Amino acid sequence: MVPGSTKIIRARDVMHKQILSIDGMATAREAAARMRSERVFSLLVKKRHADDAWGILVVQDFIKGVIIPGRSPDDVHVYEIMTKPIITVPADMDIRYAARLIYRADIRRAPVEDNGELIGMISLASLILDNELF
């Protein structure tokens, strides 16, 4: 809720509507270039088929899967370093609960889902920086 108001703010109200994705067979170098050009900190990894789960690639995955082990970004595929399956936030979830879910899962961002479809992204930082909650 907004302080001093009874209006409940839902995940759909504060999410970013732009969802960028990449194929799991792309290289880490290709993914990093896409993230740089789009100025984002995560990419959803496409499903391989209807029964598959979405994945997510975040900056920390590059650190853990490429930089620390000293691997070449040209030799590492996205599917090797991504997180899968992902945690999603229901579009109608109160942002207090969405923030708690994301925080307790020890992640920084999550896709917003409505009727089985991903419709946006929500991040802990965007709750503070991109919205007038305070």
Side-chain angles (χ1 to χ4, degrees):
M1 283 195 261
V2 177
S5 170
T6 57
K7 182 180 184 300
I8 295 175
I9 300 173
R10 309 274 181 203
R12 73 169 64 251
D13 300 327
V14 297
M15 71 181 188
H16 289 269
K17 292 180 181 172
Q18 182 181 27
I19 299 177
L20 298 173
S21 62
I22 194 162
D23 188 274
M25 290 302 294
T27 66
R29 182 176 307 282
E30 292 167 333
R34 175 100 193 267
M35 291 169 80
R36 264 193 311 275
S37 71
E38 299 287 347
R39 297 181 180 233
V40 296
F41 298 102
S42 65
L43 294 171
L44 287 178
V45 182
K46 296 175 186 174
K47 295 179 175 186
R48 292 176 293 166
H49 49 79
D51 295 328
D52 196 10
W54 286 91
I56 192 166
L57 182 68
V58 298
V59 172
Q60 293 83 345
D61 295 325
F62 291 96
I63 306 298
K64 178 179 64 180
V66 180
I67 295 172
I68 291 174
R71 298 172 71 190
S72 168
D74 294 313
D75 296 335
V76 177
H77 292 96
V78 167
Y79 75 85
E80 297 177 75
I81 59 173
M82 69 181 179
T83 299
K84 186 177 181 175
I86 58 175
I87 293 172
T88 61
V89 173
D92 289 328
M93 182 178 271
D94 184 313
I95 62 161
R96 294 174 297 171
Y97 302 123
R100 186 179 301 159
L101 172 66
I102 294 169
Y103 178 76
R104 287 195 175 158
D106 196 27
I107 57 177
R108 292 181 175 92
R109 62 195 51 79
V112 177
E113 184 176 18
D114 189 24
N115 294 319
E117 181 183 342
L118 300 183
I119 61 167
M121 292 288 288
I122 189 171
S123 73
L124 293 178
S126 70
L127 292 176
I128 305 303
L129 303 175
D130 297 342
N131 296 290
E132 297 179 17
L133 299 176
F134 293 90

